[in-house]
Amino acid sequence: MVIQTMWKDRLSFSDLDDAVKRIEGLGRMGCGLLRFAVPDIASAETLGALAKLVSMPLVADIHFDYKIALRCMDFPIAKIRINPGNIGSKEKVKAVLDKAAEKGIAIRIGVNAGSLPQDLRESVGQGADRAEALVEAARRELAVFDEFGFTNVVVSMKASNLADTIKANRLFAKATDSLFPVPLHIGVTEAGPLVAGVARSSACLSLLLAQGIGDTLRVSLSDSVENEVIAAREILGAAAEIAAIEGATASNAQRRLKRVGVTVISCPRCGRHGFDTHGFCNRWLNRLYALDRTITVAIMGCEVNGPEEARHADIGITGAGGKVLIFRRGVIVRTVTASEADKAFEEELGMGS
Ligand code: SF4
């Protein structure tokens, strides 16, 4: 399973140094594919310059103009995402597929409920099933790829409606798995702001993943790329736990899913707290998720429940009156002031500042 996110802004050449640093950080957090909107040739040139500077596989997201896709493939990118239906004539699609085949670049057919072909949109308007229309749109595009002998393909069928997304992906996986398995990129499009988007994506994606559906995923949030990656990691971890109790029916999922890296448990905070768990989480989450270690970290508000509730945590931090305690597997190892807490925690984690 590969986690994908999408860059939120238009890149310029003057942004590249900062972008490289941020992309390296995303890689440490578990992101394995990074997509960029490429609306014009100038953006293709910027993406090309970036692709030479990072090891992260980059995806160019292109609509309408096949020449942009052709230019992107002059650079070391991993994938093109197109909606062949808006690329134009078959000759233009063929030109893109021929160059992708020559360069070994994958293509994602990205079908979206908001941009179905006209006839399918009209049939949905007249009551046809939207999920079936998404699958039909993907099938049509695959037929074109098949006609040109192009097989290095990934399909996505996304809707903002959870039921349509689940049903379309299930239908597609059922129809293709035994005959010609096609990798699926899964996600809920326009899932929403942080909390709502994570909740909706989690409900949808953990269900699909636990059934063995999905090869790459993105949690689309009106929030940062880092939070998209954290959300995707947590959903993969949740799906692994669900698959484990579902047994044989989820054996495919069990083979591919597992929780890796840090598990953060944190208390919600209440009137007893002596430590600002919210602020600490905000300061530390990106760094914790970039740790290359499988550990459980507890961030607790008070000594009443802190170390005891988080006894299984490898390392934890909790308030205690006017002090802050750092504990390992429930045993207190340091007592510091609030102002010393971040540094002491960093030292106990073995992280350099
Ligand atoms: Fe409240 Fe303490 Fe429990 Fe946090 S750990 S929710 S502060 S009782």
Side-chain angles (χ1 to χ4, degrees), residues 3-5 26 29-31 219 224-234 289:
I3 293 171
Q4 181 180 144
T5 186
L26 287 171
M29 293 175 75
C31 177
V219 180
S224 70
V225 284
E226 287 81 6
N227 278 341
E228 288 196 2
V229 173
I230 291 172
R233 274 182 56 174
E234 288 298 330
Y289 275 87

Side-chain angles (χ1 to χ4, degrees), residues 267-274 277 300-306 309 318:
C267 88
R269 216 177 69 188
C270 73
R272 273 196 292 269
H273 83 87
T277 54
M300 309 298 281
C302 76
E303 79 280 26
V304 175
N305 293 322
E309 277 183 5
T318 185

Side-chain angles (χ1 to χ4, degrees), residues 14-16 18 31 42 53 67 71 79 89 99 161 185 199-200 204 225 240 259 283 315 337 342 348:
S14 61
D15 299 330
L16 290 187
D18 287 343
C31 177
L53 299 173
K67 289 182 185 156
R71 181 59 181 142
K79 194 191 290 185
S89 67
K99 189 158 184 177
N161 176 296
H185 170 73
R200 300 179 76 245
C204 176
V225 284
R259 183 180 281 282
R283 289 195 301 281
I315 184 166
T337 64
D342 283 50
E348 289 299 322

Side-chain angles (χ1 to χ4, degrees), residues 28-328:
R28 285 192 292 274
M29 293 175 75
C31 177
L33 264 179
L34 180 58
R35 183 156 56 113
F36 285 83
V38 189
D40 49 36
I41 288 289
S43 302
E45 301 297 334
T46 316
L47 180 68
L50 181 66
K52 294 173 184 170
L53 299 173
V54 296
S55 57
M56 173 81 70
L58 304 185
V59 184
D61 188 292
I62 292 150
H63 290 273
F64 306 119
D65 188 346
Y66 81 113
K67 289 182 185 156
I68 301 173
L70 295 180
R71 181 59 181 142
C72 284
M73 288 189 280
D74 289 330
F75 303 109
I77 62 165
K79 194 191 290 185
I80 298 271
R81 183 263 168 146
I82 57 171
N83 186 339
N86 69 27
I87 287 292
S89 67
K90 274 193 176 178
E91 288 69 34
K92 291 175 180 172
V93 174
K94 182 174 186 311
V96 172
L97 298 185
D98 285 348
K99 189 158 184 177
E102 178 199 329
K103 300 274 185 175
I105 292 172
I107 295 191
R108 165 149 75 97
I109 296 172
V111 178
N112 196 296
S115 55
L116 284 169
Q118 181 72 18
D119 64 316
L120 293 175
R121 199 161 51 229
E122 285 172 8
S123 69
V124 170
Q126 289 160 10
D129 189 285
R130 187 181 281 105
E132 288 175 10
L134 285 163
V135 175
E136 174 57 22
R139 275 201 192 115
R140 288 182 188 176
E141 306 301 355
L142 277 174
V144 174
F145 280 38
D146 196 41
E147 185 181 330
F148 297 127
F150 188 88
T151 55
N152 190 7
V153 63
V154 178
V155 166
S156 67
M157 293 156 296
K158 293 187 180 180
S160 56
N161 176 296
L162 302 190
D164 290 337
T165 304
I166 293 166
K167 186 174 177 186
N169 282 283
R170 280 177 170 170
L171 284 173
F172 187 91
K174 190 173 176 194
T176 61
D177 263 6
S178 53
L179 300 171
F180 49 96
V182 177
L184 275 172
H185 170 73
I186 57 174
V188 178
T189 195
E190 294 122 21
L194 183 62
V195 176
V198 169
R200 300 179 76 245
S201 298
S202 190
C204 176
L205 300 182
S206 56
L207 196 63
L208 291 172
L209 290 165
Q211 292 173 331
I213 297 171
D215 298 273
T216 67
L217 82 161
R218 179 190 175 200
V219 180
S220 305
L221 300 174
S222 306
D223 209 273
S224 70
V225 284
E226 287 81 6
N227 278 341
E228 288 196 2
V229 173
I230 291 172
R233 274 182 56 174
E234 288 298 330
I235 290 169
L236 284 173
E241 291 172 27
I242 294 169
I245 60 164
E246 291 294 316
T249 56
S251 58
N252 183 32
Q254 279 192 65
R255 275 197 302 277
R256 299 187 310 144
L257 298 172
K258 63 178 175 181
R259 183 180 281 282
V260 292
V262 70
T263 299
V264 177
I265 59 171
S266 65
C267 88
R269 216 177 69 188
C270 73
R272 273 196 292 269
H273 83 87
F275 182 60
D276 179 15
T277 54
H278 299 190
F280 190 83
C281 282
N282 287 337
R283 289 195 301 281
W284 273 88
L285 270 197
N286 287 0
R287 293 183 73 187
L288 289 174
Y289 275 87
L291 283 175
D292 188 18
R293 279 182 259 165
T294 300
I295 57 170
T296 298
V297 175
I299 302 165
M300 309 298 281
C302 76
E303 79 280 26
V304 175
N305 293 322
E308 189 54 38
E309 277 183 5
R311 183 163 284 283
H312 62 286
D314 296 288
I315 184 166
I317 187 163
T318 185
K323 295 287 184 183
V324 175
L325 313 178
I326 296 175
F327 58 92
R328 291 182 181 280

